[in-house]
Structure formats: C-alpha cells, structure tokens
Amino acid sequence: MAFDILNFSPSDAEAFMTELGEPAYRGKQLYEWAQKGVPVKDMTTFSKSLRERIAERGDVFLPQARRKLVSAVDGTVKYLFELRDGQLIESVVMKYEHGSTICISSQAGCRMGCRFCASTLGGLIRNLEPSEMLGQIIAAQNDLGIRISNVVMMGIGEPLDNYDNTLRFIMLANEKDGLNIGQRHISVSTCGLADRIRRLADENLQITLSISLHSADNEARKKIMPITNRYSVDELLAACRDYFKKTGRRISFEYTLIGGENDSEAHAQALASKLHDYFGKNMPFHVNLIPLNEVKERGFHRGSRESVDAFKKLLGRLGVNATVRRRLGPDINASCGQLRLNETVN
Ligand code: SAH
C-alpha cells in the first residue's frame, strides 16, 4: 500500500527524493506541497514522470469531508471525515477572537469505555496515523480558507492510547515549514493513563495536558470511567503532580458535571481536598467544568444551571477557581463527548 507523504518530516522528504535520484531541494518542495494537502498528480513543479515515480510509492491522502455542519448559533463547524480506508471520524473547528481552534480525533472509535461519552459506544476500530491527524487540520484549513492556530486533541479517541503517533503528530504540527503550530497551542486530553502521563513528562514538551477527571472519589469514578480500575485517582493525581514538577506546565482538569452522579456538595469537597492534597494551595492547575452534553444511548442527564453554578461557587469557597466551559455548536452536536463515527444526530 502506498504510504502517506504527510507522515514525512522535512528531512524524510529530502531523503526520499534523494533516494529517487533527485536533488535535495526537491524534497523541500515535496514537503511543502504535501503540507498544503496537494495530491502528487497536482504537484506542478515536478515533471509528469517524476510525479508518476513518486505516486508509485506514496501520495497525500487527505481526509474527505463526507458531511459538514455549521452551527447557526456560533459558527462552529463540524466535519464528518472519511479516511482512506473508509473509516469515519469527526473534527470540530471553533472560531474565537484570538484565532481558530480545531478539535481533532486521534483514533477511530475508543476503548476507554467512559459511560457518558458517545465516542466509545462502538469500541476501538484503529489508531490514526500522524498524517491523519495533520490531515484533519489541513483539510479544514483548505475548506474554510483560514489558518488554524490551536489544536485540542479532544475529539474521538484517547491520544495516550495511541502514544507514538500522537507524539509524532505534535512534532510534525510544530514544523516551521509545515503547519508551524507551537506546542503551547496544542492540548492533549486524557482520561488518565497514568503511566503514559509519566512517560510524557520526560519528552520535554511545552504542550498543555488536560485531564478528564470527572470525579475525585475513586469508587464514584470507577462507575463512570472504567480506566479507574487500572489507575486509581491517587495514582493519576500523583502522575499529574510529577508531570507539573518536571515540565512546569500547568495542568487543566476537566470535570463533566453529570446530574445526580458527580455534582453534589460532597463531590465538590472531595475534588477540592484532593487537588489541595496533591498540589498545595498555589493551584498550578486550572479546573474546567463541563455541564454534561446528553448522549441518548447513555441515559445520563445534565444538571440544572443552578446546580452547575452552586458547584462552581462551592469550589471557589474551598479555594479552587473553576470556569464553566461554554457549549459550542449546540445545534449540531459538536460538543464534548458527542462526536461519533457515523451520521447519527442524537
Ligand atoms: N479520551 C480523551 C480525549 C477526549 S476529550 C479524554 O478522555 O480526555 C473529550 C472530553 O469530553 C473529555 O473530557 C470527556 O470526558 C468529555 N466528555 C465525554 N462525554 C461527554 C459528555 N457527554 N458531556 C460532556 N463532556 C463529555
């Protein structure tokens, strides 16, 4: 099977062209065409015969938009992309004043089994390649005619369950002659693979690490997030503390509020006291509250606005400042936990 040229770094592209008997600058050209999402047949600075020789080996396989939904409320765009083997994933582009952010998928499906999330309903199908993660950004940029400046790995899949490809993606997205997206503009979100968080701490990255915590009580968390059976809340928070110590990067804790499940006063107290236990009073972290987005197969409910406000206020009184995440694309099911592998509108 032909390889995807988008997996190339600039030096890989150079080595490849040299191997074809071409001068090194052709490698730079190949790299730049690929980063624009141009298929080999349209790389017009190359002769037809060179294009043919390249295409025998590899090509640029951008994800194809099968459906595009634009929110009438806030302009958020959701794509259903088809990958070269027919697998489907979703990506979401959010426009803010300071630039555009894309939420990309890292796997087709997911095997983490979080009880409230749509993305894991059908289990894991396969990991995405780095090229397919880059491809989501390039395809969206080309379609919208904009530059995307921020990436959050918060779409379908668990990025740390696809560790090597995620890491390579970050390096490739960072390339000066490529997308040139700074590491500080990339967030990796995880449901809590503590051993991988420890590994990530040694990679010397400037990315933002987001932890989907959703409960600080071990038994309660087990009920909604099976990964807790593998890594307890304490193991997870210890890994987060060490991550912060090594990298100096503030961690972002995500807390999805599920009505009657993890939104009581006792849950807020448990959260504040755990965070204080592990991080002291200086709070080198940020807490993001996400009112549940309902997924019809899941049977969980969003609490009232008042319950969300009360949770936030209580956290504040306990010395933990939190923000409530604004819900984007409410009319197109583009919000956290609603991305899935097909065209179902829940
Ligand atoms: N697997 C990674 C990346 C997914 S990020 C992770 O778990 O972090 C998607 C975020 O949305 C996670 O914080 C996830 O827990 C949250 N989420 C999932 N389902 C949700 C739902 N129904 N409502 C609100 N947030 C949800």
Side-chain angles (χ1 to χ4, degrees):
M1 196 171 68
F3 58 75
D4 195 328
I5 296 172
L6 273 177
N7 278 322
F8 278 174
S9 66
S11 57
D12 294 336
E14 225 175 87
F16 172 70
M17 287 305 243
T18 312
E19 205 185 301
L20 290 184
E22 297 292 325
Y25 75 88
R26 290 275 184 218
K28 190 163 159 41
Q29 291 175 328
L30 177 68
Y31 178 77
E32 285 170 1
W33 280 119
Q35 293 289 316
K36 292 194 178 90
V38 175
V40 172
K41 68 173 177 30
D42 297 332
M43 295 184 176
T44 48
T45 44
F46 302 147
S47 69
K48 193 145 179 294
S49 78
L50 178 56
R51 280 181 251 167
E52 280 166 8
R53 278 193 298 141
I54 297 169
E56 270 169 28
R57 311 271 297 276
D59 214 325
V60 176
F61 300 95
L62 273 200
Q64 300 293 312
R66 279 284 155 263
R67 189 186 59 181
K68 173 186 178 184
L69 294 175
V70 182
S71 168
V73 179
D74 54 34
T76 296
V77 182
K78 179 167 87 163
Y79 293 98
L80 179 73
F81 281 124
E82 184 174 337
L83 304 175
R84 65 192 281 211
D85 64 349
Q87 290 304 329
L88 299 171
I89 52 162
E90 290 193 311
S91 321
V92 176
V93 179
M94 298 155 281
K95 293 175 192 151
Y96 298 107
E97 270 156 32
H98 57 269
S100 294
T101 296
I102 189 167
C103 174
I104 63 164
S105 294
S106 57
Q107 296 179 315
C110 180
R111 57 177 178 167
M112 296 296 125
C114 298
R115 302 266 185 263
F116 41 82
C117 182
S119 300
T120 191
L121 282 166
L124 175 67
I125 299 168
R126 69 169 175 86
N127 285 330
L128 298 199
E129 288 187 38
S131 58
E132 294 171 316
M133 302 183 208
L134 284 179
Q136 296 170 60
I137 307 174
I138 297 168
Q141 285 193 157
N142 287 353
D143 179 61
L144 297 170
I146 57 169
R147 173 170 191 264
I148 290 171
S149 50
N150 294 278
V151 179
V152 296
M153 301 191 73
M154 297 190 184
I156 298 166
E158 167 52 50
L160 298 189
D161 188 38
N162 184 13
Y163 188 90
D164 294 343
N165 289 350
T166 292
L167 218 64
R168 174 141 177 108
F169 159 73
I170 294 168
M171 298 306 175
L172 292 174
N174 216 201
E175 284 292 344
K176 290 279 166 294
D177 295 329
L179 292 177
N180 194 19
I181 298 175
Q183 287 185 10
R184 285 168 186 261
H185 296 265
I186 300 178
S187 293
V188 172
S189 185
T190 176
C191 66
L193 278 63
D195 63 336
R196 301 287 167 88
I197 293 171
R198 291 188 177 282
R199 221 171 118 189
L200 196 62
D202 290 325
E203 310 275 5
N204 249 321
L205 298 177
Q206 294 292 305
I207 56 161
T208 299
L209 181 63
S210 278
I211 306 292
S212 299
L213 189 57
H214 308 332
S215 181
D217 176 89
N218 203 55
E219 293 312 305
R221 192 173 192 264
K222 272 186 191 168
K223 287 197 196 131
I224 50 174
M225 301 182 73
I227 190 68
T228 316
N229 293 304
R230 189 132 60 97
Y231 304 104
S232 67
V233 167
D234 285 305
E235 285 171 286
L236 171 57
L237 290 175
C240 291
R241 178 192 54 206
D242 295 347
Y243 184 91
F244 172 69
K245 278 192 189 150
K246 271 199 181 141
T247 64
R249 300 284 298 156
R250 251 160 56 115
I251 289 178
S252 172
F253 288 103
E254 317 293 309
Y255 196 104
T256 293
L257 285 162
I258 309 175
E261 200 64 37
N262 65 355
D263 62 347
S264 70
E265 280 188 14
H267 285 109
Q269 277 155 355
L271 177 61
S273 88
K274 273 285 180 215
L275 291 177
H276 285 145
D277 284 353
Y278 281 90
F279 294 96
K281 302 275 177 200
N282 284 338
M283 300 219 312
F285 57 77
H286 185 82
V287 174
N288 230 313
L289 301 173
I290 314 172
L292 181 81
N293 300 303
E294 291 181 9
V295 173
K296 76 172 184 309
E297 293 91 335
R298 291 308 199 179
F300 285 120
H301 298 287
R302 163 189 282 243
S304 63
R305 249 212 96 107
E306 293 74 44
S307 69
V308 172
D309 288 345
F311 197 92
K312 178 179 159 176
K313 273 209 186 107
L314 177 53
L315 280 182
R317 278 206 301 280
L318 296 169
V320 173
N321 290 324
T323 48
V324 177
R325 180 173 291 173
R326 197 155 61 94
R327 188 169 181 224
L328 292 167
D331 50 339
I332 56 170
N333 290 304
S335 304
C336 301
Q338 295 185 309
L339 303 187
R340 44 173 94 220
L341 302 177
N342 57 43
E343 310 208 9
T344 315
V345 173
N346 47 340

